[in-house]
Amino acid sequence: YPDLVVGAAHSNQAVLLRSRPVVNLEAEVKFITDAGKIDMGSRDCVISTGESVSCVPIKTCLRYTGVGVEKKIAVSVKLELDTKKQLSSRMFFLSREEESVWTQDLILTKEVPFCKSYDVYLIVSFSLCTILTFLTLIKLQPNIRDKLTALEAKLNCQLPGSEAMLSPV
């Protein structure tokens, strides 16, 4: 991309407009489930407390292209789980229990897809389901409180140091 100089006749002034290559970054994040549903009855994962939990893999893929861009670039990636419920997240990374945000710096190669999968689990709260007065039996059943709000994941990508460079037009 060539730089551009613009001037006006008889003004004795010109403006230099610097250009830079444009990186086209494609990013994708998706839940890997059968028929798009998470089976709450399936407790295939175990957390550090020994509790069996429902879990699902999330896959992220990144790929970049561009004319005049470097063969390799650094990218800061931030994967956030359950973005609609930020105050009380219902999903966490299995390898980083009780964390719902994963930040990582990556080196990507031009036109080569980089994919990574993360196992995430759903937190289960206990609610009082049945009280049998005569037997004074209290039965607790695992239950996610909010089943109506969709589970979402958000993938943010940024070129390191891009804040100090030229801002986009």
Side-chain angles (χ1 to χ4, degrees):
Y1 294 97
D3 294 338
L4 179 66
V5 177
V6 179
H10 308 295
S11 69
N12 292 330
Q13 294 182 348
V15 174
L16 173 63
L17 303 173
R18 295 231 177 237
S19 63
R20 59 182 174 165
V22 175
V23 174
N24 296 314
L25 180 64
E26 300 168 13
E28 178 183 33
V29 59
K30 61 182 174 181
F31 292 95
I32 309 298
T33 62
D34 295 329
K37 296 180 181 178
I38 299 173
D39 183 5
M40 296 300 298
S42 174
R43 308 282 175 138
D44 298 335
C45 298
V46 179
I47 57 176
S48 63
T49 62
E51 180 183 358
S52 295
V53 293
S54 298
C55 61
V56 62
I58 289 183
K59 183 177 180 181
T60 61
C61 288
L62 301 166
R63 180 179 175 270
Y64 83 96
T65 59
V67 176
V69 297
E70 299 288 326
K71 178 102 172 121
K72 292 186 180 280
I73 61 169
V75 177
S76 294
V77 178
K78 181 178 175 183
L79 177 58
E80 297 177 72
L81 302 175
D82 204 14
T83 53
K84 287 189 174 184
K85 302 284 286 183
Q86 291 179 347
L87 295 177
S88 58
S89 183
R90 300 165 292 171
M91 293 178 65
F92 300 95
F93 292 99
L94 191 60
S95 62
R96 296 182 180 181
E97 291 182 23
E98 298 184 20
E99 288 188 32
S100 60
V101 177
W102 187 301
T103 304
Q104 187 174 7
D105 292 330
L106 303 172
I107 303 294
L108 301 180
T109 303
K110 183 178 177 182
E111 297 180 5
V112 177
F114 175 85
C115 295
K116 185 173 181 175
S117 292
Y118 305 86
D119 286 324
V120 300
Y121 70 95
L122 302 172
I123 194 166
V124 176
S125 61
F126 290 93
S127 63
L128 188 59
C129 291
T130 308
I131 299 177
L132 298 175
T133 314
F134 298 110
L135 300 175
T136 62
L137 174 65
I138 299 175
K139 180 181 177 185
L140 296 178
Q141 181 177 352
N143 184 18
I144 289 189
R145 289 182 187 157
D146 182 359
K147 293 182 181 179
L148 297 178
T149 304
L151 295 169
E152 289 186 349
K154 181 167 68 169
L155 184 63
N156 292 319
C157 304
Q158 183 175 0
L159 299 175
S162 62
E163 296 171 359
M165 299 175 73
L166 298 172
S167 57
V169 178

